[in-house]
């Protein structure tokens, strides 16, 4: 379940980043950027359903991105739709990755030495993401 969410959020991040790299789209008005952001989410859901083989999970996780992007846009009205969606997908992907890495570290029944080393690595990853 966590891995599936990580895949969907990573796809959303990739598609939104590709869209944000188009010239002047990151600062475009809502009439242009909102339909393109929605299209990026639709493409994310379609790609995720192909990769995961489960359209329901792909749809649900894509809806999470859309709802959080709408909430963030309401809080940050000066941001563009593409910029807001990019921020949300980066945050979701990062947090989901940390949860996935922690799950692999602590739920796999590893030896104490491996758990200690993985914990150090996880702390370094948290520090890197905080930058």
């Amino acid at each position: 379940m966590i891995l599936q969410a990580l895949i969907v959020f990573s796809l959303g991040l990739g598609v939104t980043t590709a869209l944000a790299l188009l010239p002047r789209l990151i600062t475009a008005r809502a009439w242009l950027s909102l339909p393109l952001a929605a299209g990026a989410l639709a493409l994310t859901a379609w790609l995720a359903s192909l990769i995961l083989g489960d359209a329901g999970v792909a749809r649900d996780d894509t809806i999470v991105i859309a709802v959080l992007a709408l909430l963030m846009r309401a809080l940050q009205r000066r941001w563009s739709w593409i910029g807001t969606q990019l921020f949300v997908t980066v945050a979701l992907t990062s947090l989901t990755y940390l949860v996935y890495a922690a799950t692999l570290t602590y739920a796999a029944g590893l030896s104490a030495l491996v758990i200690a080393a993985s914990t150090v690595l996880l702390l370094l990853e948290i520090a890197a993401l905080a930058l």
Side-chain angles (χ1 to χ4, degrees):
M1 182 168 153
I2 295 172
L3 181 58
Q4 292 173 332
L6 182 58
I7 290 169
V8 175
F9 297 152
S10 297
L11 285 169
L13 177 58
V15 171
T16 304
T17 300
L19 193 61
L21 290 174
L22 294 174
R24 289 183 246 153
L25 188 58
I26 197 78
T27 58
R29 300 242 183 230
W31 63 267
L32 176 62
S33 64
L34 183 57
L36 290 173
L41 289 179
L43 180 59
T44 297
W46 179 72
L47 289 172
S49 66
L50 287 178
I51 291 170
L52 298 174
D54 188 353
V57 169
R59 179 196 63 232
D60 294 345
D61 288 343
T62 305
I63 289 172
V64 168
I65 296 171
V67 168
L68 290 177
L70 286 171
L71 291 173
M72 182 57 69
R73 180 68 167 85
L75 293 173
Q76 299 292 337
R77 292 203 175 269
R78 293 181 55 205
W79 290 7
S80 68
W81 285 101
I82 301 296
T84 303
Q85 188 166 306
L86 186 60
F87 177 81
V88 167
T89 55
V90 166
L92 280 173
T93 304
S94 300
L95 291 174
T96 307
Y97 168 74
L98 290 174
V99 170
Y100 179 70
T103 302
L104 285 179
T105 299
Y106 302 115
L110 303 172
S111 68
L113 180 63
V114 173
I115 290 176
S118 293
T119 300
V120 170
L121 180 60
L122 190 61
L123 291 173
L124 290 172
E125 289 171 341
I126 290 170
L129 287 172
L131 291 175

